[in-house]
Every structure is written in structure tokens, then in C-alpha cells.
């Protein structure tokens, strides 16, 4: 199959035998301009009749629709991974669980996490030279609940190690990042913390922990689903 110059430019090899986009994974807010008069981006769904089994949804408006309860409910429809953000503070591991985490940039390598202004843990982490970010595995549901608990030793019984610069990483995760704070952007009742990646690794054999609709979940393998359907 012939590959165009644009396709070659937009694809890069990730070093593991797979191609990935030269741009970072799409976030909720897209910065790339989309020209609606461009046929390549034209949305023709408006000209199609609604599906008989899928009535057209009308979005509620008003203050009640934008209440904190309703926002949490709708935001929760988007499944995310779960991370542990941690570092040594006076020689003691200190950290928290966070699911508002995403990749931001490949060059320079940047990640982001959103932290509530009400967090009592973030002020202790914000000034650390390095922060460890662990993407938790599916078997670390209890670890996540412990890292989110208040008034307890969050690292009691957990398997972890610290880097020479004080970043704390949990064992048995599916990915790890050694980061430093690049920039902090105030956004509503949260801070968007941009983290520069200095070192990283992943174990793709570990199934990640998934958080969706206020519940922990696991990814279902296609092969397992097919076997279940044939039983």
C-alpha cells in the first residue's frame, strides 16, 4: 500500500513495533482548528434522519444542570485510569490518588494532573524536586482506596520504592513516570499541574485499573468476551 508523504510525516514508530501519531493523544479540549467548510471535516450528521431506536437527546440547561452533583455524574461517564502521585517528604512517602491525569506533549515530554484547591496533600508535594507517577494496575484497587483515605498512613503495607531524587513509585503498576513540576495553571476550583517527564517505563502485561461512574472497573479482553459468548 502506497504511503503518502503526509502519512509518513504524521506517523512515528514508538520503538515497540507499533506506530503512533506524531501528535499527543487527544484531550477533552482540542486545540487544533477545525474548518467546518472543509469537506474533510464537514459534519453531515445533521442531514441524516434520527435513528428510530435512538431518540434525539436534548441537553438540560440551567443552574440545576450544572450543579456539582450533576457535573460529577456526567463527568463520570468518561472512563479514566487511576494514578498515584507521590514523593518523599522529610524522608517519609507522601502521596495521593488522582484520575484527572493525561498525556500532554511528546516534545517536550509533558503530562498533566488536576488537583483540587482543597487538597491537603498537594501543598506538601508541590515543592518536591521530583514526583513519581504510577499508573495503577487492576489488582491495586485497595491501594488506590488507601491512597485516597484521610487521616491514615497511606503507604502502610504498600510496596514502593524511591528514586535518588525522591520520587516515589509503587510496585505492581502498569506504568511509571519520574517527573518534575513544569508549570501550574489555576483553573476554577482546581490547579492544572504540568509535569515534565525525566524517566519512564511500562509493563503492558499488567491490566490497568479503570475508574468509571464512581466505580473501579477492569478492561475486558476481546478474546475473553468471545469465549464467554460461545459458552
Amino acid at each position: 500500500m502506497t504511503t503518502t508523504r503526509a502519512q509518513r510525516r504524521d506517523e512515528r514508530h514508538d520503538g515497540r513495533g507499533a506506530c503512533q501519531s506524531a501528535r499527543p493523544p487527544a484531550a477533552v479540549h482540542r486545540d487544533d482548528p477545525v474548518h467546518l467548510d472543509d469537506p474533510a471535516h464537514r459534519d453531515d450528521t445533521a442531514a441524516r434522519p434520527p435513528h428510530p431506536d435512538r431518540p434525539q437527546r436534548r441537553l438540560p440547561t440551567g443552574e440545576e444542570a450544572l450543579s456539582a452533583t450533576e457535573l460529577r455524574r456526567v463527568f463520570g461517564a468518561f472512563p479514566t485510569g487511576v494514578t498515584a502521585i507521590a514523593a518523599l517528604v522529610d524522608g517519609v512517602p507522601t502521596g495521593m490518588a488522582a484520575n484527572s491525569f493525561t498525556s500532554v506533549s511528546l516534545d517536550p515530554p509533558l503530562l498533566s494532573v488536576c488537583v483540587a484547591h482543597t487538597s491537603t496533600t498537594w501543598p506538601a508535594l508541590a515543592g518536591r524536586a521530583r514526583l513519581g507517577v504510577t499508573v495503577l494496575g487492576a489488582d491495586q484497587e485497595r491501594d488506590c482506596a488507601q491512597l485516597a483515605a484521610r487521616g491514615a498512613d497511606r503507604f502502610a503495607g504498600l510496596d514502593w520504592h524511591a528514586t535518588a531524587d525522591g520520587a516515589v513509585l509503587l510496585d505492581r503498576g502498569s506504568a511509571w513516570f519520574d517527573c518534575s513540576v513544569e508549570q501550574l495553571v489555576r483553573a476554577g476550583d482546581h490547579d492544572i499541574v504540568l509535569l515534565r517527564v525525566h524517566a519512564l517505563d511500562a509493563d503492558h502485561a499488567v491490566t490497568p485499573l479503570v475508574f468509571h461512574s464512581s466505580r473501579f472497573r477492569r478492561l475486558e479482553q476481546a478474546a475473553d468476551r468471545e469465549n464467554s459468548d460461545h459458552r
Side-chain angles (χ1 to χ4, degrees), residues 116-185:
H117 293 162
T118 55
S119 171
T120 57
T121 304
W122 174 245
L125 295 175
R128 300 297 96 189
R130 293 291 179 88
L131 297 176
V133 179
T134 304
V135 178
L136 300 182
D139 293 332
Q140 293 180 293
E141 181 176 330
R142 282 191 175 184
D143 296 359
C144 180
Q146 186 169 315
L147 288 167
R150 293 180 179 271
D153 181 357
R154 294 180 174 179
F155 285 83
L158 300 188
D159 298 323
W160 59 273
H161 66 277
T163 68
D165 295 314
V168 170
L169 301 168
L170 272 66
D171 300 339
R172 300 186 297 114
S174 62
W176 302 267
F177 303 89
D178 181 357
C179 307
S180 62
V181 176
E182 178 82 1
Q183 185 179 355
L184 190 146
V185 180

